[in-house]
């Protein structure tokens, strides 16, 4: 479960301290705080790691300092094998399959200096059978 906190909540403030204190008492749940600071706004997320099935999402949304709560479950996993999960473990992009049973090498230029060098490299990779590439800029 991910708790998205109110924008610009102070990590030094009483609301934040009380929230983490309360969450830290949840049995068998590990807390991971993730913060992003922008020029005008900050975002703080608290990731609840463990068996969160017994937590009511409505209660989590009502906690002081919490703006939104998101329950994360297996259905959001795109690639990977999970017990009793019969969904495909791959996805296709522009005719190329990505999944557990495929391997792709992303060859290419570490830096782009001229259009001619890019075209030369892309042509050589295509002739060698490469279907994925990368470039630094």
């Amino acid at each position: 479960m991910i708790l998205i906190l109110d924008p610009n909540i102070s990590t030094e403030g009483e609301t934040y301290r009380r929230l983490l204190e309360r969450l830290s008492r949840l049995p068998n749940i590990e807390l991971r705080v993730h913060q992003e600071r922008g020029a005008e706004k900050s975002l703080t997320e608290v990731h609840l790691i463990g068996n969160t099935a017994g937590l009511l999402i409505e209660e989590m949304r009502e906690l002081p300092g919490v703006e939104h709560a998101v329950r994360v479950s297996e259905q959001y996993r795109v690639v990977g094998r999970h017990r009793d999960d019969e969904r495909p473990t791959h996805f296709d992009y522009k005719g190329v399959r990505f999944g557990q049973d495929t391997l792709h090498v992303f060859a290419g230029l570490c830096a782009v200096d001229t259009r001619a060098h890019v075209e030369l490299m892309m042509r050589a990779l295509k002739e060698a059978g490469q279907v994925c590439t990368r470039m630094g800029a």
Side-chain angles (χ1 to χ4, degrees):
M1 184 178 293
I2 299 173
L3 305 181
I4 301 165
L5 304 189
D6 292 329
N8 297 313
I9 189 169
S10 171
T11 56
E12 306 296 321
E14 187 69 16
T15 302
Y16 181 80
R17 186 190 64 74
R18 285 186 178 179
L19 175 64
L20 288 190
E21 187 176 281
R22 181 171 178 179
L23 294 172
S24 68
R25 291 194 304 264
L26 295 172
N28 303 312
I29 301 291
E30 175 189 341
L31 306 180
R32 291 187 195 157
V33 176
H34 178 79
Q35 294 182 302
E36 291 294 330
R37 299 203 187 281
E40 298 179 14
K41 189 175 179 181
S42 295
L43 171 72
T44 303
E45 297 177 343
V46 180
H47 296 219
L48 307 178
I49 311 298
N51 186 359
T52 60
L55 301 177
L56 296 176
I57 192 105
E58 296 80 13
E59 286 182 11
M60 295 293 112
R61 288 180 178 145
E62 294 299 318
L63 291 173
V66 174
E67 180 179 77
H68 190 64
V70 178
R71 186 175 298 283
V72 179
S73 65
E74 286 190 51
Q75 70 184 41
Y76 295 103
R77 296 179 184 170
V78 175
V79 178
R81 294 196 189 275
H82 308 285
R83 185 177 38 136
D84 300 326
D85 188 353
E86 299 299 321
R87 290 174 298 142
T89 59
H90 65 273
F91 65 93
D92 295 306
Y93 180 74
K94 294 192 175 189
V96 179
R97 179 156 291 193
F98 295 86
Q100 287 189 169
D101 300 323
T102 61
L103 173 68
H104 299 287
V105 175
F106 288 79
L109 300 166
C110 291
V112 175
D113 55 355
T114 68
R115 179 180 294 272
H117 286 150
V118 171
E119 290 173 357
L120 185 67
M121 177 59 74
M122 295 302 114
R123 190 171 21 262
L125 291 173
K126 184 177 182 180
E127 289 170 2
Q130 284 291 98
V131 294
C132 299
T133 188
R134 63 165 299 279
M135 282 189 276

